[in-house]
Amino acid sequence: MRCIVATAAMILKLHPLPAIAQGPRQEYRQLHLGVEVRLVVATADRAGADAAARAAYAAIAELEQTFSDWRPTSEARRLGAHHGEWVTVSEPLLQLTTRALAVARASHGAFDPTVGPLVAVWREARGSGVLPTESAIARARHAVGWRRVHVDRTRGAIKLDAEGMRLDFGGIAKGYILDSARQVLQQHGFASVMLDAGGDIVLGDSPPGEAGWRVAVATARGDTTLVLARVAVGTSGPGEQHLDVGGVRYSHVIDPRTGRALTSPTQATVIHPLGMMSDALSTMITVLGAEHGSRVAKGLGAVAIFVSNPPAP
Ligand code: ADP
Ligand code: MG
């Protein structure tokens, strides 16, 4: 597979476009995961697509309750209440933790699902508009480290070593959830689908008679349209969630090696067969930078990578 690394292109936003001459589509929108989740099913069978979309949204809602870092009752948050003991978890939590740890290992911790305590510190800073203190960052760092998460696949259990550890799947769960929703649509007989959750996109088969789904990549030199099928497209970069202090923009992505929110405007788009990987790898590249990050992403199966450094807004 060929890998494109376009560092010069300034990719500012990415969104699916309607096809030029398109066949019948059924389209749905619902709020989940803090964003609008859009499902498009290329079919004329409205009743069948309605039922499939209902089932897909139900699966999305259930998985949100598994992974959400915002909901104290989520399975991921409840896991944080136990440390030093094996906790039996659901298959989705087991799977996503395994994948997230693989990305952590390959990126030497630039992507780290244990970054939760630092995310909490910086989230509070976003709320108050005041930068976190050195001691708050240092305290949170004591409870961060992917090597201190253990997964026993045969027992279906996870163990967190240290008190205060908190898994955060904010950088990977959206992609995983869209992958799962795509499978639900497939089980209902719809393979030609497009799922979009605010920048993370999962594509099924091409719409019948069409070359693929048209996805627009906006660049400083104008839009580039990619025609894609059976892949996922993930984007990470300075988005809506950030903190501005003293003329510096702090991202909601944290460099686990320093405990600090990123201040570089790097934006990364990754195309990968799996949504969870396009999501995680795009986040990882914003931490590691274009060159090193793209190398790691290619090693983990990325099909194409676009990295840009738009000027800070
Ligand atoms: P978006 O949510 O806009 O799609 P990302 O996919 O880049 O953005 O994910 C950002 C989220 O990932 C953060 O809000 C946080 O929950 C989590 N996160 C932050 N830093 C890291 C990191 N270094 N490794 C893994 N996850 C991270
Ligand atoms: Mg991501």
Side-chain angles (χ1 to χ4, degrees):
M1 279 189 283
R2 203 161 68 93
C3 203
I4 308 154
V5 180
T7 38
M10 307 236 299
I11 299 149
L12 300 175
K13 66 183 197 294
L14 188 142
H15 54 87
L17 281 179
I20 299 165
Q22 69 178 39
R25 303 272 202 272
Q26 309 304 327
E27 194 171 330
Y28 309 87
R29 290 164 196 270
Q30 270 188 22
L31 289 176
H32 293 277
L33 316 165
V35 292
E36 185 178 72
V37 179
R38 194 158 73 93
L39 308 182
V40 181
V41 184
T43 180
D45 173 9
R46 171 131 180 234
D50 283 359
R54 257 197 309 277
Y57 281 124
I60 290 169
E62 195 182 326
L63 288 170
E64 184 171 14
Q65 185 55 31
T66 301
F67 298 127
S68 176
D69 181 58
W70 294 90
R71 298 183 184 174
T73 58
S74 74
E75 192 184 4
R77 282 287 296 275
R78 282 186 284 121
L79 185 64
H82 305 267
H83 69 274
E85 55 181 293
W86 288 99
V87 180
T88 308
V89 299
S90 66
E91 182 58 29
L93 189 56
L94 203 66
Q95 270 181 21
L96 193 58
T97 306
T98 305
R99 280 295 184 143
L101 290 175
V103 179
R105 188 170 301 113
S107 67
H108 299 287
F111 182 92
D112 187 337
T114 69
V115 79
L118 285 165
V119 169
V121 165
W122 284 92
R123 198 178 278 165
E124 196 184 308
R126 275 206 304 283
S128 66
V130 179
L131 287 180
T133 61
E134 292 298 331
S135 63
I137 292 174
R139 253 196 323 276
R141 289 186 73 188
H142 279 300
V144 175
W146 62 273
R147 287 192 178 83
R148 292 190 284 170
V149 184
H150 309 281
V151 177
D152 184 336
R153 288 206 58 89
T154 18
R155 280 162 64 186
I158 294 177
K159 179 157 78 82
L160 305 180
D161 279 346
E163 191 172 355
M165 284 183 77
R166 179 163 164 178
L167 296 185
D168 182 317
F169 296 106
I172 187 170
K174 247 194 257 172
Y176 178 89
I177 290 173
L178 292 185
D179 287 334
S180 307
R182 190 190 63 72
Q183 282 169 23
V184 171
L185 296 172
Q186 172 106 49
Q187 283 153 13
H188 279 73
F190 299 103
S192 187
V193 297
M194 195 276 298
L195 305 91
D196 172 20
D200 284 304
I201 299 167
V202 166
L203 303 169
D205 293 353
S206 304
E210 296 173 38
W213 297 90
R214 287 155 42 80
V215 176
V217 179
T219 77
R221 299 195 203 98
D223 281 6
T224 302
T225 302
L226 306 175
V227 180
L228 302 167
R230 294 180 189 228
V231 286
V233 188
T235 297
S236 182
E240 282 156 27
Q241 297 184 56
H242 52 249
L243 163 70
D244 287 319
V245 177
V248 178
R249 175 155 290 185
Y250 296 86
S251 161
H252 64 143
V253 175
I254 288 152
D255 187 334
R257 300 163 301 184
T258 62
R260 307 195 162 273
L262 299 184
T263 53
S264 113
T266 298
Q267 178 165 306
T269 294
V270 172
I271 301 182
H272 191 284
L274 288 175
M276 67 176 148
M277 294 300 281
S278 64
D279 188 359
L281 297 180
S282 57
T283 305
M284 182 270 290
I285 292 173
T286 65
V287 179
L288 275 188
E291 205 183 316
H292 186 187
S294 300
R295 224 174 23 244
V296 175
K298 279 188 235 174
L300 291 172
V303 181
I305 300 160
F306 303 88
V307 184
S308 64
N309 283 298

